[in-house]
Amino acid sequence: MRSSKRHETGSGPFGVMLIGALRLYQWTLSPVFYAFGVRCRHEPSCSHYAVDSVRVQGAWRGFFLAAGRVLRCRPGGTHGYDPAPVERKDVPFWAVTRFRDPPRRPDVPQAGSRDETKP
C-alpha cells in the first residue's frame, strides 16, 4: 500500500535531488546575482517558492509550479506576495496548468459571486 505522506514531503529521490539543487543555487549563485542587483519580484523568492512547492506537492508538481513562477518573474510580469500552494489539488499529473489556482485580485469580483441585493 502506498502512503500519501511521500507526496506531502517531497521525500522521493527526485524531490531530494531538486531540493538539493535548489539549496546549492541558494548558497552559490543567488548571492552573486543579488550582488549584481538581480532580485526576485515576488515574496518569497522564486527559489524558496520552489523548495516549498516540491516539499508540499512532490517533485513533478513542484517542478512545474516553480517553472511557472520563474516565468511570471520577469519585467511586466506579476509581483508581490505569492506563496506556494499549501494543499495538493486532486488533478491528473498531466494537467500541469491546473496545479495552481489563478491569482486573485482584491479589486475584481470572483466568478460566481453575486450581490443578492440587486435584482
Side-chain angles (χ1 to χ4, degrees), residues 82-93:
D82 181 27
V86 294
E87 293 181 2
R88 185 179 168 99
K89 293 176 70 174
D90 190 25
V91 296
F93 73 92

Side-chain angles (χ1 to χ4, degrees), residues 37-47 69-82:
V38 178
R39 295 183 177 59
C40 189
R41 299 168 50 96
H42 294 96
E43 180 64 38
S45 69
C46 293
S47 59
R69 170 69 177 270
V70 169
L71 291 174
R72 289 191 309 270
C73 190
R74 57 176 169 71
T78 60
H79 56 54
Y81 183 67
D82 181 27

Side-chain angles (χ1 to χ4, degrees), residues 15-86:
V16 171
M17 287 189 317
L18 278 174
I19 291 174
L22 288 165
R23 291 295 185 202
L24 183 67
Y25 164 78
Q26 288 175 341
W27 294 329
T28 57
L29 290 177
S30 183
V32 173
F33 288 146
Y34 193 82
F36 285 110
V38 178
R39 295 183 177 59
C40 189
R41 299 168 50 96
H42 294 96
E43 180 64 38
S45 69
C46 293
S47 59
H48 287 98
Y49 178 94
V51 169
D52 291 342
S53 63
V54 168
R55 279 190 181 147
V56 173
Q57 304 288 332
W60 177 262
R61 291 176 187 227
F63 173 78
F64 280 102
L65 286 168
R69 170 69 177 270
V70 169
L71 291 174
R72 289 191 309 270
C73 190
R74 57 176 169 71
T78 60
H79 56 54
Y81 183 67
D82 181 27
V86 294

Side-chain angles (χ1 to χ4, degrees), residues 81-118:
Y81 183 67
D82 181 27
V86 294
E87 293 181 2
R88 185 179 168 99
K89 293 176 70 174
D90 190 25
V91 296
F93 73 92
W94 49 265
V96 296
T97 58
R98 292 186 281 170
F99 290 164
R100 180 182 183 273
D101 290 330
R104 295 184 178 172
R105 293 181 42 193
D107 57 336
V108 178
Q110 298 299 315
S113 64
R114 273 186 170 191
D115 188 20
E116 297 296 329
T117 59
K118 293 183 182 178

